[in-house]
Amino acid sequence: LPDEMDAPLPAPSGKAVWYSFGTLVANAAARTLQIDPSELKTGVRSVRRGRGRLHGEVFLYDDVPGGAGYARAIQANLEEILQCALDLGHNCDNPDCSGACYHCLLDYRNQNVHRFLDRQLGVAVLEFLLQGTRPSLEQEQIDQCAAALLEYVKNGWRVEPGGVFDGRYIPRILERSEERIALWVIHPLEAPPSPQLREQFITRYGLRLAVHTSFDLQRRPFWVMNNLVR
């Protein structure tokens, strides 16, 4: 990933990125190779990517005694499989699917990572790989993420409207005593602001930045509340 993108594997949002991507690719490989999905397994291991960044590395392997050679077949058909994975990520047979269900990503074999799976995160990786598209959030999505947090902060903080600061949309400003905090929402594949930018916000606006991913705000807002300034 380039410097503007990041998905640290130790973070739940990073795990969500890599496992969602790997699951989509494994499902697409099974469909393309016309094999039973149970014969392919997905794993993610950590890999250092320079400057202290620890990302995920997805690997697929066959779950057949003695091996069935699926890895070579995946390599030979990789572009087709990645395109199929993108199509699967964009479509689910379940009209009520909110991002992961038993029609698309979930099955009994990956129960231990169900809490991390989200089709749109896998799609974001695939769109970057295949189309060079950098992930971003629309203002409406940012507002929805902020709304998920407000139920947890309304009793302890004063909530003020945000705005655009140096070209960046801040959905809400939280204030308590003399402390003023700007909620900075990022995509799980987006790198956080630099220390220099954080200092700039304090100097110019008197705002400390609370930087959180859309995944954390939507999936675990109570944790965000307890770890607001990071």
PDB file of all heavy atoms in Angstrom, residues 96-118:
ATOM      1  N   ASP A  96     -31.294  -7.880   2.151  1.00  0.00           N
ATOM      2  CA  ASP A  96     -31.161  -7.286   3.477  1.00  0.00           C
ATOM      3  C   ASP A  96     -29.737  -7.370   4.022  1.00  0.00           C
ATOM      4  O   ASP A  96     -29.497  -7.026   5.188  1.00  0.00           O
ATOM      5  CB  ASP A  96     -32.113  -7.970   4.465  1.00  0.00           C
ATOM      6  CG  ASP A  96     -33.574  -7.795   4.064  1.00  0.00           C
ATOM      7  OD1 ASP A  96     -33.928  -6.687   3.618  1.00  0.00           O
ATOM      8  OD2 ASP A  96     -34.350  -8.766   4.194  1.00  0.00           O
ATOM      9  N   CYS A  97     -28.802  -7.818   3.201  1.00  0.00           N
ATOM     10  CA  CYS A  97     -27.412  -7.968   3.654  1.00  0.00           C
ATOM     11  C   CYS A  97     -26.820  -6.590   3.955  1.00  0.00           C
ATOM     12  O   CYS A  97     -26.828  -5.701   3.103  1.00  0.00           O
ATOM     13  CB  CYS A  97     -26.575  -8.680   2.593  1.00  0.00           C
ATOM     14  SG  CYS A  97     -24.831  -8.865   3.047  1.00  0.00           S
ATOM     15  N   SER A  98     -26.287  -6.419   5.140  1.00  0.00           N
ATOM     16  CA  SER A  98     -25.704  -5.144   5.539  1.00  0.00           C
ATOM     17  C   SER A  98     -24.193  -5.095   5.329  1.00  0.00           C
ATOM     18  O   SER A  98     -23.540  -4.120   5.710  1.00  0.00           O
ATOM     19  CB  SER A  98     -26.017  -4.860   7.008  1.00  0.00           C
ATOM     20  OG  SER A  98     -25.472  -5.876   7.833  1.00  0.00           O
ATOM     21  N   GLY A  99     -23.636  -6.149   4.756  1.00  0.00           N
ATOM     22  CA  GLY A  99     -22.195  -6.180   4.525  1.00  0.00           C
ATOM     23  C   GLY A  99     -21.611  -7.574   4.583  1.00  0.00           C
ATOM     24  O   GLY A  99     -20.594  -7.865   3.944  1.00  0.00           O
ATOM     25  N   ALA A 100     -22.256  -8.454   5.317  1.00  0.00           N
ATOM     26  CA  ALA A 100     -21.809  -9.852   5.404  1.00  0.00           C
ATOM     27  C   ALA A 100     -22.969 -10.700   5.905  1.00  0.00           C
ATOM     28  O   ALA A 100     -23.604 -10.363   6.904  1.00  0.00           O
ATOM     29  CB  ALA A 100     -20.611  -9.991   6.336  1.00  0.00           C
ATOM     30  N   CYS A 101     -23.251 -11.773   5.203  1.00  0.00           N
ATOM     31  CA  CYS A 101     -24.312 -12.689   5.620  1.00  0.00           C
ATOM     32  C   CYS A 101     -23.975 -14.071   5.083  1.00  0.00           C
ATOM     33  O   CYS A 101     -22.951 -14.269   4.419  1.00  0.00           O
ATOM     34  CB  CYS A 101     -25.682 -12.208   5.114  1.00  0.00           C
ATOM     35  SG  CYS A 101     -25.913 -12.383   3.326  1.00  0.00           S
ATOM     36  N   TYR A 102     -24.860 -15.039   5.346  1.00  0.00           N
ATOM     37  CA  TYR A 102     -24.592 -16.413   4.917  1.00  0.00           C
ATOM     38  C   TYR A 102     -24.836 -16.617   3.421  1.00  0.00           C
ATOM     39  O   TYR A 102     -24.609 -17.706   2.901  1.00  0.00           O
ATOM     40  CB  TYR A 102     -25.421 -17.395   5.745  1.00  0.00           C
ATOM     41  CG  TYR A 102     -24.807 -17.682   7.093  1.00  0.00           C
ATOM     42  CD1 TYR A 102     -25.159 -16.935   8.208  1.00  0.00           C
ATOM     43  CD2 TYR A 102     -23.836 -18.670   7.248  1.00  0.00           C
ATOM     44  CE1 TYR A 102     -24.586 -17.178   9.449  1.00  0.00           C
ATOM     45  CE2 TYR A 102     -23.259 -18.925   8.476  1.00  0.00           C
ATOM     46  CZ  TYR A 102     -23.635 -18.175   9.577  1.00  0.00           C
ATOM     47  OH  TYR A 102     -23.047 -18.418  10.799  1.00  0.00           O
ATOM     48  N   HIS A 103     -25.265 -15.594   2.728  1.00  0.00           N
ATOM     49  CA  HIS A 103     -25.384 -15.669   1.272  1.00  0.00           C
ATOM     50  C   HIS A 103     -24.097 -15.238   0.578  1.00  0.00           C
ATOM     51  O   HIS A 103     -23.932 -15.498  -0.614  1.00  0.00           O
ATOM     52  CB  HIS A 103     -26.546 -14.794   0.786  1.00  0.00           C
ATOM     53  CG  HIS A 103     -27.898 -15.301   1.156  1.00  0.00           C
ATOM     54  ND1 HIS A 103     -28.669 -16.059   0.305  1.00  0.00           N
ATOM     55  CD2 HIS A 103     -28.607 -15.173   2.293  1.00  0.00           C
ATOM     56  CE1 HIS A 103     -29.806 -16.363   0.901  1.00  0.00           C
ATOM     57  NE2 HIS A 103     -29.791 -15.848   2.112  1.00  0.00           N
ATOM     58  N   CYS A 104     -23.234 -14.534   1.302  1.00  0.00           N
ATOM     59  CA  CYS A 104     -22.024 -14.015   0.644  1.00  0.00           C
ATOM     60  C   CYS A 104     -20.743 -14.431   1.377  1.00  0.00           C
ATOM     61  O   CYS A 104     -20.024 -15.313   0.908  1.00  0.00           O
ATOM     62  CB  CYS A 104     -22.107 -12.505   0.470  1.00  0.00           C
ATOM     63  SG  CYS A 104     -22.421 -11.551   1.978  1.00  0.00           S
ATOM     64  N   LEU A 105     -20.428 -13.849   2.525  1.00  0.00           N
ATOM     65  CA  LEU A 105     -19.132 -14.081   3.163  1.00  0.00           C
ATOM     66  C   LEU A 105     -19.140 -15.084   4.300  1.00  0.00           C
ATOM     67  O   LEU A 105     -18.129 -15.738   4.561  1.00  0.00           O
ATOM     68  CB  LEU A 105     -18.575 -12.756   3.701  1.00  0.00           C
ATOM     69  CG  LEU A 105     -18.239 -11.661   2.693  1.00  0.00           C
ATOM     70  CD1 LEU A 105     -17.563 -10.503   3.414  1.00  0.00           C
ATOM     71  CD2 LEU A 105     -17.335 -12.190   1.591  1.00  0.00           C
ATOM     72  N   LEU A 106     -20.242 -15.205   4.993  1.00  0.00           N
ATOM     73  CA  LEU A 106     -20.249 -16.018   6.212  1.00  0.00           C
ATOM     74  C   LEU A 106     -20.531 -17.491   5.928  1.00  0.00           C
ATOM     75  O   LEU A 106     -21.358 -17.821   5.080  1.00  0.00           O
ATOM     76  CB  LEU A 106     -21.315 -15.500   7.186  1.00  0.00           C
ATOM     77  CG  LEU A 106     -21.303 -14.010   7.533  1.00  0.00           C
ATOM     78  CD1 LEU A 106     -22.361 -13.706   8.587  1.00  0.00           C
ATOM     79  CD2 LEU A 106     -19.933 -13.558   7.995  1.00  0.00           C
ATOM     80  N   ASP A 107     -19.832 -18.365   6.618  1.00  0.00           N
ATOM     81  CA  ASP A 107     -20.165 -19.787   6.653  1.00  0.00           C
ATOM     82  C   ASP A 107     -19.612 -20.367   7.946  1.00  0.00           C
ATOM     83  O   ASP A 107     -18.909 -19.684   8.690  1.00  0.00           O
ATOM     84  CB  ASP A 107     -19.656 -20.540   5.414  1.00  0.00           C
ATOM     85  CG  ASP A 107     -18.138 -20.515   5.277  1.00  0.00           C
ATOM     86  OD1 ASP A 107     -17.447 -20.852   6.262  1.00  0.00           O
ATOM     87  OD2 ASP A 107     -17.644 -20.172   4.190  1.00  0.00           O
ATOM     88  N   TYR A 108     -19.934 -21.608   8.210  1.00  0.00           N
ATOM     89  CA  TYR A 108     -19.554 -22.186   9.501  1.00  0.00           C
ATOM     90  C   TYR A 108     -18.054 -22.329   9.648  1.00  0.00           C
ATOM     91  O   TYR A 108     -17.512 -22.369  10.758  1.00  0.00           O
ATOM     92  CB  TYR A 108     -20.233 -23.549   9.694  1.00  0.00           C
ATOM     93  CG  TYR A 108     -19.657 -24.661   8.846  1.00  0.00           C
ATOM     94  CD1 TYR A 108     -18.657 -25.497   9.337  1.00  0.00           C
ATOM     95  CD2 TYR A 108     -20.103 -24.875   7.534  1.00  0.00           C
ATOM     96  CE1 TYR A 108     -18.123 -26.518   8.565  1.00  0.00           C
ATOM     97  CE2 TYR A 108     -19.570 -25.884   6.759  1.00  0.00           C
ATOM     98  CZ  TYR A 108     -18.581 -26.702   7.270  1.00  0.00           C
ATOM     99  OH  TYR A 108     -18.057 -27.697   6.493  1.00  0.00           O
ATOM    100  N   ARG A 109     -17.333 -22.384   8.502  1.00  0.00           N
ATOM    101  CA  ARG A 109     -15.877 -22.583   8.558  1.00  0.00           C
ATOM    102  C   ARG A 109     -15.125 -21.323   8.977  1.00  0.00           C
ATOM    103  O   ARG A 109     -13.985 -21.409   9.419  1.00  0.00           O
ATOM    104  CB  ARG A 109     -15.370 -23.062   7.187  1.00  0.00           C
ATOM    105  CG  ARG A 109     -15.827 -24.471   6.813  1.00  0.00           C
ATOM    106  CD  ARG A 109     -15.475 -24.837   5.379  1.00  0.00           C
ATOM    107  NE  ARG A 109     -16.252 -24.062   4.423  1.00  0.00           N
ATOM    108  CZ  ARG A 109     -15.739 -23.191   3.568  1.00  0.00           C
ATOM    109  NH1 ARG A 109     -14.441 -22.994   3.542  1.00  0.00           N
ATOM    110  NH2 ARG A 109     -16.512 -22.534   2.726  1.00  0.00           N
ATOM    111  N   ASN A 110     -15.718 -20.136   8.809  1.00  0.00           N
ATOM    112  CA  ASN A 110     -15.002 -18.914   9.189  1.00  0.00           C
ATOM    113  C   ASN A 110     -15.692 -18.193  10.356  1.00  0.00           C
ATOM    114  O   ASN A 110     -15.615 -16.968  10.460  1.00  0.00           O
ATOM    115  CB  ASN A 110     -14.840 -17.981   7.990  1.00  0.00           C
ATOM    116  CG  ASN A 110     -16.177 -17.526   7.396  1.00  0.00           C
ATOM    117  OD1 ASN A 110     -17.226 -17.666   8.012  1.00  0.00           O
ATOM    118  ND2 ASN A 110     -16.118 -16.966   6.203  1.00  0.00           N
ATOM    119  N   GLN A 111     -16.335 -18.974  11.222  1.00  0.00           N
ATOM    120  CA  GLN A 111     -17.053 -18.373  12.350  1.00  0.00           C
ATOM    121  C   GLN A 111     -16.150 -17.511  13.223  1.00  0.00           C
ATOM    122  O   GLN A 111     -16.602 -16.518  13.797  1.00  0.00           O
ATOM    123  CB  GLN A 111     -17.688 -19.475  13.204  1.00  0.00           C
ATOM    124  CG  GLN A 111     -18.823 -20.217  12.510  1.00  0.00           C
ATOM    125  CD  GLN A 111     -19.402 -21.304  13.400  1.00  0.00           C
ATOM    126  OE1 GLN A 111     -19.990 -21.016  14.441  1.00  0.00           O
ATOM    127  NE2 GLN A 111     -19.235 -22.546  13.003  1.00  0.00           N
ATOM    128  N   ASN A 112     -14.884 -17.879  13.330  1.00  0.00           N
ATOM    129  CA  ASN A 112     -13.986 -17.142  14.222  1.00  0.00           C
ATOM    130  C   ASN A 112     -13.675 -15.736  13.717  1.00  0.00           C
ATOM    131  O   ASN A 112     -13.155 -14.908  14.483  1.00  0.00           O
ATOM    132  CB  ASN A 112     -12.678 -17.920  14.431  1.00  0.00           C
ATOM    133  CG  ASN A 112     -11.930 -18.142  13.136  1.00  0.00           C
ATOM    134  OD1 ASN A 112     -12.538 -18.387  12.096  1.00  0.00           O
ATOM    135  ND2 ASN A 112     -10.606 -18.075  13.181  1.00  0.00           N
ATOM    136  N   VAL A 113     -13.980 -15.430  12.458  1.00  0.00           N
ATOM    137  CA  VAL A 113     -13.712 -14.081  11.943  1.00  0.00           C
ATOM    138  C   VAL A 113     -14.986 -13.388  11.460  1.00  0.00           C
ATOM    139  O   VAL A 113     -14.916 -12.365  10.782  1.00  0.00           O
ATOM    140  CB  VAL A 113     -12.653 -14.103  10.808  1.00  0.00           C
ATOM    141  CG1 VAL A 113     -11.309 -14.545  11.349  1.00  0.00           C
ATOM    142  CG2 VAL A 113     -13.096 -14.972   9.642  1.00  0.00           C
ATOM    143  N   HIS A 114     -16.149 -13.923  11.790  1.00  0.00           N
ATOM    144  CA  HIS A 114     -17.405 -13.305  11.350  1.00  0.00           C
ATOM    145  C   HIS A 114     -17.477 -11.827  11.725  1.00  0.00           C
ATOM    146  O   HIS A 114     -17.976 -11.005  10.950  1.00  0.00           O
ATOM    147  CB  HIS A 114     -18.600 -14.043  11.956  1.00  0.00           C
ATOM    148  CG  HIS A 114     -18.975 -15.276  11.202  1.00  0.00           C
ATOM    149  ND1 HIS A 114     -20.118 -16.001  11.474  1.00  0.00           N
ATOM    150  CD2 HIS A 114     -18.353 -15.928  10.185  1.00  0.00           C
ATOM    151  CE1 HIS A 114     -20.184 -17.039  10.653  1.00  0.00           C
ATOM    152  NE2 HIS A 114     -19.123 -17.022   9.881  1.00  0.00           N
ATOM    153  N   ARG A 115     -16.982 -11.482  12.912  1.00  0.00           N
ATOM    154  CA  ARG A 115     -17.110 -10.106  13.389  1.00  0.00           C
ATOM    155  C   ARG A 115     -16.273  -9.129  12.572  1.00  0.00           C
ATOM    156  O   ARG A 115     -16.462  -7.905  12.674  1.00  0.00           O
ATOM    157  CB  ARG A 115     -16.721 -10.018  14.857  1.00  0.00           C
ATOM    158  CG  ARG A 115     -15.254 -10.345  15.148  1.00  0.00           C
ATOM    159  CD  ARG A 115     -15.022 -10.485  16.642  1.00  0.00           C
ATOM    160  NE  ARG A 115     -13.634 -10.734  16.986  1.00  0.00           N
ATOM    161  CZ  ARG A 115     -13.053 -11.915  16.921  1.00  0.00           C
ATOM    162  NH1 ARG A 115     -13.752 -12.957  16.498  1.00  0.00           N
ATOM    163  NH2 ARG A 115     -11.785 -12.060  17.273  1.00  0.00           N
ATOM    164  N   PHE A 116     -15.353  -9.654  11.757  1.00  0.00           N
ATOM    165  CA  PHE A 116     -14.495  -8.786  10.958  1.00  0.00           C
ATOM    166  C   PHE A 116     -14.947  -8.637   9.504  1.00  0.00           C
ATOM    167  O   PHE A 116     -14.449  -7.761   8.791  1.00  0.00           O
ATOM    168  CB  PHE A 116     -13.053  -9.328  10.947  1.00  0.00           C
ATOM    169  CG  PHE A 116     -12.409  -9.383  12.297  1.00  0.00           C
ATOM    170  CD1 PHE A 116     -11.945 -10.591  12.803  1.00  0.00           C
ATOM    171  CD2 PHE A 116     -12.264  -8.251  13.066  1.00  0.00           C
ATOM    172  CE1 PHE A 116     -11.343 -10.656  14.049  1.00  0.00           C
ATOM    173  CE2 PHE A 116     -11.665  -8.295  14.315  1.00  0.00           C
ATOM    174  CZ  PHE A 116     -11.202  -9.505  14.803  1.00  0.00           C
ATOM    175  N   LEU A 117     -15.838  -9.482   9.043  1.00  0.00           N
ATOM    176  CA  LEU A 117     -16.100  -9.563   7.606  1.00  0.00           C
ATOM    177  C   LEU A 117     -17.072  -8.484   7.133  1.00  0.00           C
ATOM    178  O   LEU A 117     -18.100  -8.231   7.736  1.00  0.00           O
ATOM    179  CB  LEU A 117     -16.626 -10.951   7.250  1.00  0.00           C
ATOM    180  CG  LEU A 117     -15.662 -12.107   7.529  1.00  0.00           C
ATOM    181  CD1 LEU A 117     -16.290 -13.435   7.114  1.00  0.00           C
ATOM    182  CD2 LEU A 117     -14.330 -11.892   6.827  1.00  0.00           C
ATOM    183  N   ASP A 118     -16.712  -7.876   6.003  1.00  0.00           N
ATOM    184  CA  ASP A 118     -17.532  -6.834   5.386  1.00  0.00           C
ATOM    185  C   ASP A 118     -17.173  -6.787   3.906  1.00  0.00           C
ATOM    186  O   ASP A 118     -16.023  -6.529   3.550  1.00  0.00           O
ATOM    187  CB  ASP A 118     -17.258  -5.481   6.045  1.00  0.00           C
ATOM    188  CG  ASP A 118     -18.215  -4.401   5.579  1.00  0.00           C
ATOM    189  OD1 ASP A 118     -18.429  -4.280   4.353  1.00  0.00           O
ATOM    190  OD2 ASP A 118     -18.748  -3.662   6.423  1.00  0.00           O
TER     191      ASP A 118
END
